[in-house]
Amino acid sequence: MGFLQIFRIALKSMTGSKVRTLLTMLGVIIGVATFITLVSLGEGTKKSISDSIQSMGTNLINISITGRNSNRNVTYKDLKDFAGQNTDEIEAVAPTVSGRVTLKYENKTWETSLEGTSPEYETVRNTPVQNGSRFITHMDVDYRQKVALLGTGVINNLFGPGRNPIGERIKINGEIFRVVGVLEQKSAGENYSLDDRIIIPISTAQRLLRSAQIRNFSVQARSPERVNAAMFKIQEFLLKTYKDDSAFRVQNQAEMLSRVDSVTGAMTAFLGAIAGISLLVGGIGIMNIMLVSVTERTREIGIRKAIGAKRKHILAQFLIESTVISCIGGLTGIMIGFLLAGVIPRFSSMTPVITSSSVLISFLVSAAVGIFFGIYPAGKASKLNPIEALRFE
């Protein structure tokens, strides 16, 4: 009995009981679709964060002040003087003071994140403004001007989509500010994205938030080749200021990308493992249905053995059945996964990214599930005694 003949017999047995075959596939379909969807969400998150970091340039250095007990704090003037003394390594420095604030316009309110910063922030953090608006100026900082730049997410929720807020007055924690700029859209403008924020002069923010401490600032090195030299100068400056190297953390973009890849990679693996449980359950379902099928087809197996079918032929038939069921379920699950990945962006700000490796892995795993969980039922069928099988009622 040739392989093609065995394959045809297996397919005929499957199509003879369509509902059972579909129910057997269901576990694999759900498992593969879940795997594709969850892994694509993890990859999408990874890509979004990586793109955001890379868009700021490879010569960006981020500094966080972690020490809480120091009597010394760096000021905006300290940072400007430091940058001016190290022009060979440093292009610009942009400090940041941040917090959560409540905005009000007419009868609408919205809670968002606020960043108080300097004019250098626009180039250091690659944060351009839309046409017809401007960024913070040195005059705004020097005279503590109450001016604000809004992200498109804030505009959508406070003014309404498509509204031009330039020149409008809004209240930030009860104080009146004039809108002078609109930040260029970074994502879909949804809540809690890069577009849901407001920027004001750092001097104004320190008074509004009642916090004069600068705990974060960004440094733009002269070039990617000067990043290490700039980091050395920064560490030297901060060590002289705080007398403790544990009071601050200095990170460049390469280190941040490596950390992001590590975290998001672990998250994607975790999501994939969760989806793998569904495939395991699907495999157990295949084994159970195949065992039932062996019991129901005992006389058929006996007849085939009586007319010359060998043990390997029976084994191959049932193993092919379980593998084909699993593979077709896997392909169907992949198609559903693609469909779900295409639908998700319409209902959320997340953009799934399906990789060829995740598709290949999900298909290979579904095939392996069919083979692994089909071995026992196939072996049981092949070991049946033909005489006892023919007597089976």
Side-chain angles (χ1 to χ4, degrees):
M1 187 182 290
F3 175 79
L4 287 177
Q5 188 177 355
I6 296 171
F7 188 77
R8 287 194 199 100
I9 293 170
L11 285 180
K12 187 176 180 181
S13 299
M14 288 168 53
T15 54
S17 182
K18 295 182 179 65
V19 175
R20 176 183 290 177
T21 302
L22 178 62
L23 291 174
T24 308
M25 290 179 185
L26 197 57
V28 176
I29 292 171
I30 293 172
V32 171
T34 304
F35 179 84
I36 292 289
T37 305
L38 291 181
V39 171
S40 67
L41 285 172
E43 290 293 334
T45 302
K46 177 180 177 180
K47 184 177 184 302
S48 176
I49 297 173
S50 296
D51 288 348
S52 176
I53 293 173
Q54 288 176 335
S55 68
M56 297 176 191
T58 55
N59 54 342
L60 178 68
I61 305 167
N62 291 303
I63 298 91
S64 300
I65 308 301
T66 56
R68 299 288 178 182
N69 301 319
S70 175
N71 294 322
R72 178 78 169 91
N73 291 303
V74 292
T75 64
Y76 178 36
K77 184 179 183 303
D78 293 335
L79 294 175
K80 285 199 298 183
D81 291 344
F82 165 69
Q85 294 164 7
N86 297 276
T87 53
D88 290 342
E89 295 84 11
I90 295 171
E91 179 75 27
V93 178
T96 305
V97 174
S98 59
R100 297 291 295 180
V101 294
T102 300
L103 311 181
K104 186 173 183 181
Y105 175 74
E106 295 179 347
N107 62 343
K108 290 185 179 179
T109 60
W110 183 250
E111 187 175 319
T112 187
S113 60
L114 176 141
E115 289 181 278
T117 188
S118 64
E120 293 83 4
Y121 188 96
E122 183 178 13
T123 53
V124 171
R125 297 297 296 268
N126 188 22
T127 310
V129 295
Q130 294 184 9
N131 291 334
S133 60
R134 69 171 178 85
F135 205 78
I136 292 166
T137 65
H138 286 289
M139 186 176 291
D140 294 330
V141 176
D142 293 341
Y143 292 95
R144 293 192 178 91
Q145 296 295 303
K146 292 184 177 181
V147 294
L149 294 93
L150 309 182
T152 52
V154 174
I155 295 169
N156 291 342
N157 286 285
L158 203 61
F159 295 90
R163 177 80 177 271
N164 183 6
I166 302 297
E168 297 287 350
R169 258 71 175 175
I170 63 172
K171 285 186 177 180
I172 305 177
N173 283 0
E175 296 190 23
I176 299 174
F177 281 71
R178 180 168 57 90
V179 179
V180 296
V182 175
L183 300 173
E184 195 171 88
Q185 189 165 310
K186 292 285 186 180
S187 57
E190 299 291 338
N191 302 351
Y192 310 113
S193 71
L194 288 171
D195 298 313
D196 184 20
R197 59 174 172 162
I198 182 170
I199 293 177
I200 66 174
I202 185 169
S203 54
T204 312
Q206 288 173 321
R207 177 173 290 182
L208 181 71
L209 299 174
R210 295 180 175 85
S211 174
Q213 292 186 339
I214 295 174
R215 309 206 69 84
N216 296 281
F217 62 94
S218 301
V219 174
Q220 184 179 31
R222 279 286 173 190
S223 65
E225 293 75 24
R226 303 296 295 169
V227 167
N228 289 335
M231 288 181 69
F232 178 78
K233 291 289 185 180
I234 294 165
Q235 289 167 340
E236 189 178 52
F237 164 69
L238 292 174
L239 191 59
K240 184 178 179 181
T241 302
Y242 290 100
K243 315 297 182 185
D244 181 7
D245 59 3
S246 66
F248 54 86
R249 184 171 64 247
V250 181
Q251 270 189 323
N252 61 30
Q253 293 296 79
E255 292 171 342
M256 288 183 67
L257 279 171
S258 175
R259 204 177 286 263
V260 165
D261 286 344
S262 176
V263 173
T264 54
M267 181 186 71
T268 303
F270 176 71
L271 293 174
I274 293 173
I277 295 171
S278 299
L279 275 172
L280 180 64
V281 173
I284 294 171
I286 289 175
M287 184 170 67
N288 288 335
I289 297 296
M290 292 301 295
L291 285 170
V292 172
S293 179
V294 169
T295 303
E296 290 182 349
R297 293 157 63 186
T298 300
R299 282 182 62 82
E300 176 193 328
I301 295 167
I303 292 170
R304 286 185 180 164
K305 280 199 166 186
I307 61 176
K310 296 180 180 179
R311 180 180 171 182
K312 64 180 181 180
H313 298 143
I314 304 298
L315 180 71
Q317 178 189 336
F318 281 88
L319 203 55
I320 287 170
E321 281 186 36
S322 64
T323 304
V324 170
I325 287 171
S326 188
C327 287
I328 294 174
L331 290 172
T332 307
I334 289 170
M335 288 188 287
I336 294 174
F338 270 90
L339 182 65
L340 290 173
V343 169
I344 287 173
R346 298 186 181 184
F347 300 97
S348 73
S349 58
M350 302 181 74
T351 304
V353 174
I354 297 178
T355 61
S356 56
S357 60
S358 66
V359 173
L360 182 62
I361 288 170
S362 61
F363 178 74
L364 292 177
V365 170
S366 66
V369 163
I371 294 170
F372 179 79
F373 287 97
I375 288 174
Y376 177 68
K380 186 177 179 180
S382 68
K383 292 176 184 177
L384 286 174
N385 185 295
I387 297 173
E388 292 179 1
L390 286 168
R391 289 176 181 170
F392 186 80
E393 295 294 338

